[in-house]
Amino acid sequence: MPIQPVSGNTTFVRPSTFYINGFSNVPHAKYYYIFLCLVYTTTVLGNSFIMCTICLARNLHTAKYIAVFNLAVTDLGGSTALIPRLVDTFLFEHQYISYVACLANMFFVFFFMTLQSLTLLALAYDRAVAICFPLRYHAIVTKTAMALIIGCMWVFTTALVASVVALITRLSFCRSTVVNSYFCDHGPIYALACNDNSLNIIMAYVGVVTILCIPLILIGISYACIAFALLRIAQGTGRIKAMKTCTSHLILVAMFYLPLLFINIAAVVSRLDPNVRIINYSLTQTIPSMLNPIIYTVKTEEVRQSIRGLYKRAMVNKTVDKNMKSTADK
């Protein structure tokens, strides 16, 4: 195995490549990768559609839809960081990846996953203020405030994930370089180190707490506040109308957090089969990104109205252009 010594106070042994192992002894695994290609295509089309709709529809130029737009960006970015590389690795059998490319892959996968989680938290904050303080909502959740929240999330996520990835460079890999995962996963890589990786283990726990635990607890608190506020609404119709504004977000939260939660609990309670882990994690990281724009289109009245308005405007413009062309020909 070719290695590269890094000079300094301490010498770190770095491999020139890692080998992404993926599935082991799974027949017809290529069909799964073809399925992920279809998922990625749908993700790109769906999220591009929702982003274009938000940009073109003026009534969606609100604080809430700044966060929804950011969610679409992170969904698209997360799927792009993962699926094309995964398909190239296993469908076309390019399982060796350079050391630098591996760290870049790790950074972008975890970067967009963290942003997805924090964006769902921002949307929970938006819903909590809208229902608990309806008269002050537009004064509290302004477009400037939401843009600032989103900007801080990007800065925080960049710093956190860059720190996690940078600590990998302090590890020596003098034995195996076979990564038992479907991408350059943080845990399976630091487990291969032959020097002290205790700091990497700590950062792994910090990552789980940041991506999973804290946002989920805060989202739970926000919905507890929402439930309390809904109980004070006397009229049943008003309560139902307020609940409908949260439906899309609750579905997104369930799709993103519950599979991750169950997988991590299962991994702690019992030894998870590598193939089961790969399937569960890959679906958890790709399916929500595909379904998010579909759910927002189907379940959100504002988006449906905006799409209908844009369609009518396009038809009117097409008719006007056709009439103008006919007049010019005469």
Side-chain angles (χ1 to χ4, degrees), residues 21-29 273 275:
N21 198 29
F23 289 116
S24 57
N25 301 319
V26 176
H28 310 299
D273 181 79
N275 291 331

Coordinates of all heavy atoms in Angstrom, one line a residue, residues 21-29 273 275:
N21 N -15.8 -0.3 0.5 CA -16.2 -1.7 0.4 C -17.7 -1.9 0.0 O -18.0 -2.7 -0.8 CB -16.0 -2.4 1.8 CG -16.0 -3.9 1.7 OD1 -15.6 -4.4 0.7 ND2 -16.4 -4.5 2.8
G22 N -18.6 -1.1 0.5 CA -20.0 -1.2 0.2 C -20.6 -2.5 0.6 O -20.3 -3.0 1.7
F23 N -21.6 -3.0 -0.2 CA -22.2 -4.3 0.2 C -21.3 -5.4 0.1 O -20.4 -5.4 -0.7 CB -23.4 -4.5 -0.8 CG -24.6 -3.6 -0.6 CD1 -25.0 -2.8 -1.6 CD2 -25.3 -3.6 0.6 CE1 -26.0 -1.9 -1.5 CE2 -26.4 -2.8 0.7 CZ -26.8 -1.9 -0.3
S24 N -21.5 -6.4 0.9 CA -20.7 -7.6 0.9 C -21.7 -8.8 0.7 O -22.6 -9.0 1.5 CB -19.9 -7.8 2.2 OG -20.7 -7.8 3.3
N25 N -21.4 -9.6 -0.4 CA -22.2 -10.8 -0.7 C -23.7 -10.5 -0.8 O -24.5 -11.3 -0.3 CB -22.0 -11.9 0.4 CG -20.5 -12.2 0.6 OD1 -19.8 -12.4 -0.4 ND2 -20.0 -12.4 1.8
V26 N -24.0 -9.5 -1.5 CA -25.4 -9.1 -1.8 C -25.7 -9.3 -3.3 O -25.1 -8.6 -4.1 CB -25.8 -7.7 -1.3 CG1 -27.2 -7.4 -1.7 CG2 -25.7 -7.6 0.2
P27 N -26.5 -10.3 -3.7 CA -26.7 -10.5 -5.1 C -27.6 -9.4 -5.7 O -28.5 -8.9 -5.0 CB -27.5 -11.9 -5.2 CG -28.1 -12.0 -3.8 CD -27.2 -11.3 -2.8
H28 N -27.3 -9.1 -6.9 CA -28.1 -8.1 -7.7 C -28.1 -6.7 -7.0 O -29.1 -6.0 -7.1 CB -29.5 -8.6 -7.9 CG -29.7 -9.9 -8.4 ND1 -29.2 -10.3 -9.6 CD2 -30.2 -11.1 -7.9 CE1 -29.4 -11.6 -9.8 NE2 -30.0 -12.1 -8.8
A29 N -27.0 -6.4 -6.4 CA -26.9 -5.1 -5.7 C -26.9 -3.9 -6.7 O -27.3 -2.8 -6.4 CB -25.6 -5.0 -4.9
D273 N -26.0 -5.4 11.2 CA -25.3 -6.0 10.0 C -24.9 -4.9 9.0 O -25.7 -4.0 8.8 CB -26.3 -6.9 9.3 CG -25.7 -7.6 8.1 OD1 -25.0 -8.5 8.2 OD2 -26.0 -7.1 6.9
N275 N -24.6 -4.6 5.8 CA -25.5 -4.5 4.7 C -26.8 -3.7 5.1 O -27.2 -2.9 4.3 CB -25.8 -5.8 4.0 CG -24.6 -6.4 3.4 OD1 -23.7 -5.7 2.9 ND2 -24.6 -7.8 3.3

